[in-house]
Amino acid sequence: MLAIKIWNYFKGYVIIRVEGLTLERLLNLAASHDIYLWDVKRINNIVLEMKSTTRGFKELKKIVKKVGCRVEITNKTGFPFLLMKLRERKMWVGGFLLFWAIIFFLSSLIWKIDIVGNEQTPREEIISLLKNNNITVGKIKYRLDKEDIKDLLIENYDYFSFVSVNIKGTKLTIEVKEQDLPPERVDKNYPCHIVAKKKGVIVKVVPKNGKAVVEKGKVVNPGEILITGIITSEFGGETHLVHAEGEVLALTRYSSIIREPIVKNEERFTGKTFTQKGIKIGDKGIQFMKGDIPFENYKEFVEEKSLINLEKYDIDFPIKIVTYEYREVELKEVKQNIDFLKNANQIAATKEINKELPPNAQIQSKNIRHQIDDNILTTQVIIETIEDIGKKLIINNRED
Amino acid sequence: MKKKIENMKYNISEAFELPRDIIMDLPKLTVLGDKEASLLNHKGIIEYTKETIRVNTKSGIFKITGEDLEIKTILAEEIIIVGRIKNIEIIS
């Protein structure tokens, strides 16, 4: 019934008033003429009020004459009549459309540019770079190409390891990840702090500019300020910002743990194979079973082949023939020489640490510990070094 | 004679478990609480006031009385009456 009501609303319907004495007859005739009437209300002895479609009303008029009643329209409702009404109120309709147009237009502009993660690059520099490439507040967001912005930033700053560009609503967010720069390369026109890039125990602080805030022997965590660029004068209490520079040497610790089983299972193919076929349509597959796999230990190799080869045309045909191949393997327990294993572990762990070590670090000590638990040999290598852990962080990079 | 045919129709529909209201063209009244009554296979309205509605059918006249009765829909086969129904009577 609701569907019919919605349909009637779109086609438009009329509320009519019928006056007469033989109203029941009128209703019966209307029903037999397939005129759809609904919400028939008895107002008083000689008056009925009802709803009818516009077409139904026209047909009803003919019947009304036959029966000898009088009919009049009291109200017209529905979409076509609404349109007619609106046609008389052009300014109102215009205002309504203008309102939505303005809302749509304003919400398709960029109103704010946010840059996140720039520790060594001044915010103003990125903004001006974007400005030179015609990306500013007030541009239409659909015209901006995220990939272009990404490429632009990566081309201009070779030490950006990751750039992500996001447009959410009217805000353009650029997120960058920087590699640690050598301190000389940070722009000296901007005030900065020197912060710790890793955990360590301070050995020596040599500030060239700015004021050291840590002392020898202090344990610092990543991100902690070592040499501040905010200087408070001794008398007035006024502060001013400087570009902090200096060397902060700290004792840092690297450790690496490697676990290796002493008795190892080695796998070897015996050469026996067992194959099964299947069909794959889209993501769903059917495997034709040909009995159980006759091996205890095996490895499964799956190969897919399109039913019709369309690779030339760059089309991935959705129906594929799948070959499942099972190759038998033989397990063999091999006991390894412990001394040999200790040596191998130690080399592997040291290699791992070497990857992390900065080139100018001085190695202070190296510690190796071996431990045997059940079947597993655990080797821990700890290397202590002295290195410069300072990293420049530009002050007030954020807008807020 | 007419009665015989009617009886046969009834027997056939009984035997084949066919819906009797369709085979024999009998009215079917469905009442929903005291709020709504829908009558299928009617043969026209005889009287319609706020208190009484009488509808002609093959089985006689259905008289529905109540308060604020209103015809929600009227079609060639179906009438839906809404309001507060108090009494339903079949006068054959």
Side-chain angles (χ1 to χ4, degrees), chain A residues 1 36-40, chain B residues 29-30 32 35-40 42 45 48 53 55 64 69-75 77-83 85:
Chain A
M1 267 341 209
Y36 179 51
L37 298 173
W38 70 97
D39 289 355
V40 184
Chain B
L29 180 70
T30 314
L32 187 77
K35 290 181 174 59
E36 193 183 296
S38 93
L39 181 61
L40 284 141
H42 69 93
I45 300 171
Y48 170 33
I53 295 178
V55 186
I64 295 165
L69 296 181
E70 193 180 300
I71 296 175
K72 198 177 164 196
T73 310
I74 174 161
L75 294 166
E77 281 99 39
E78 191 182 7
I79 297 177
I80 297 174
I81 295 159
V82 292
I85 297 162

Side-chain angles (χ1 to χ4, degrees), chain A residues 225-237:
Chain A
I225 295 171
L226 305 173
I227 300 174
T228 178
I230 303 171
I231 293 185
T232 317
S233 68
E234 281 171 33
F235 310 108

Side-chain angles (χ1 to χ4, degrees), chain A residues 277-325:
Chain A
K277 294 229 164 169
I279 285 186
K280 208 170 156 193
I281 302 165
D283 287 333
K284 298 215 167 95
I286 307 161
Q287 191 174 348
F288 302 130
M289 294 299 273
K290 204 170 66 181
D292 288 334
I293 300 149
F295 315 128
E296 209 176 303
N297 299 307
Y298 60 87
K299 277 200 168 169
E300 190 185 24
F301 293 86
V302 183
E303 198 187 348
E304 281 181 18
K305 214 166 121 191
S306 293
L307 194 64
I308 302 166
N309 198 354
L310 291 172
E311 260 167 37
K312 281 186 272 191
Y313 311 108
D314 233 9
I315 299 167
D316 194 21
F317 196 72
I319 301 173
K320 285 175 179 143
I321 292 178
V322 191
T323 315
Y324 299 90
E325 193 179 350

Side-chain angles (χ1 to χ4, degrees), chain A residues 256-262 338 341-342 345-346 349 368-381:
Chain A
S256 169
I257 296 172
I258 289 206
R259 289 188 180 86
E260 195 65 36
I262 296 167
I338 289 182
L341 202 63
K342 273 182 183 173
N345 270 3
Q346 188 188 326
I368 301 152
R369 258 187 295 180
H370 295 290
Q371 198 180 345
I372 297 171
D373 283 325
D374 294 334
N375 187 27
I376 290 169
L377 174 73
T378 310
T379 308
Q380 189 181 22
V381 175

